[in-house]
Amino acid sequence: MFTNARRAYEAGAKATDSSRELESTALFKAARRLQDCLDHWDEPGHAERLENALRYNQRLWTLFQTELARPEHEMIPALRRDLLQISVFIDKRTFELLAAPDPAKVRVLVDIDRNSATGLATRPAA
C-alpha cells in the first residue's frame, strides 16, 4: 500500500510543476477516503476500509515528515515545526483509531487534511 501512495505521489509530480498542488491533491484524496469511512461507518467491510484509509493518510504524512525533517528545507522554521507536530499528532491518532475506531476521532483527521489541503491550494500573496 505504501508503494501505491508513493506511486500516486510520484505520478502526480510528473503531471504538475507545483508541489503545493500535488500535496493539496493528495491531502484532499486522503480526506475523501476518511470521509467515505465516516459516511459508511456501519456498512460491511468498514473496518478494512478504515484501516486502508488510515494507513494511506499516515503514509502521506510520513512523506511530509521526511521532507520537513531535512535540515536544509526552505520552509520557515516555525511553520516547519508546527507541521511536524501535526504529523506526530496524525501518527498518534492513527494508532488510537486502529486500536479503537471512533468516528469523532476520524473527523479530526478529515478536518486536518482538508484544512491543510486548502492552505496548500491557496496561493501565497506576492
Side-chain angles (χ1 to χ4, degrees), residues 10-106:
E10 290 170 352
K14 294 175 186 172
T16 182
D17 292 332
S18 171
S19 63
R20 288 175 62 95
E21 288 176 27
L22 177 61
E23 291 164 351
S24 176
T25 299
L27 283 164
F28 276 127
K29 178 180 178 179
R32 278 191 310 274
R33 290 181 73 171
L34 291 166
Q35 182 63 52
D36 183 61
C37 292
L38 289 173
D39 294 343
H40 303 283
W41 193 263
D42 294 321
E43 294 180 11
H46 168 264
E48 184 178 351
R49 279 192 311 276
L50 179 61
E51 181 177 346
N52 289 338
L54 288 168
R55 297 284 186 199
Y56 177 86
N57 192 57
Q58 185 180 36
R59 287 180 182 111
L60 179 59
W61 279 93
T62 298
L63 289 171
F64 295 155
Q65 281 176 328
T66 302
E67 180 64 21
L68 291 166
R70 288 187 307 112
E72 70 277 4
H73 195 281
E74 63 280 352
M75 186 179 289
I76 58 172
L79 180 56
R80 201 169 112 196
R81 182 187 63 246
D82 291 347
L83 287 169
L84 284 167
Q85 288 175 340
I86 290 171
S87 69
V88 169
F89 173 82
I90 299 284
D91 284 341
K92 181 180 176 193
R93 179 55 54 94
T94 298
F95 291 124
E96 289 173 3
L97 286 164
L98 289 169
D102 177 348
K105 290 183 177 183
V106 174

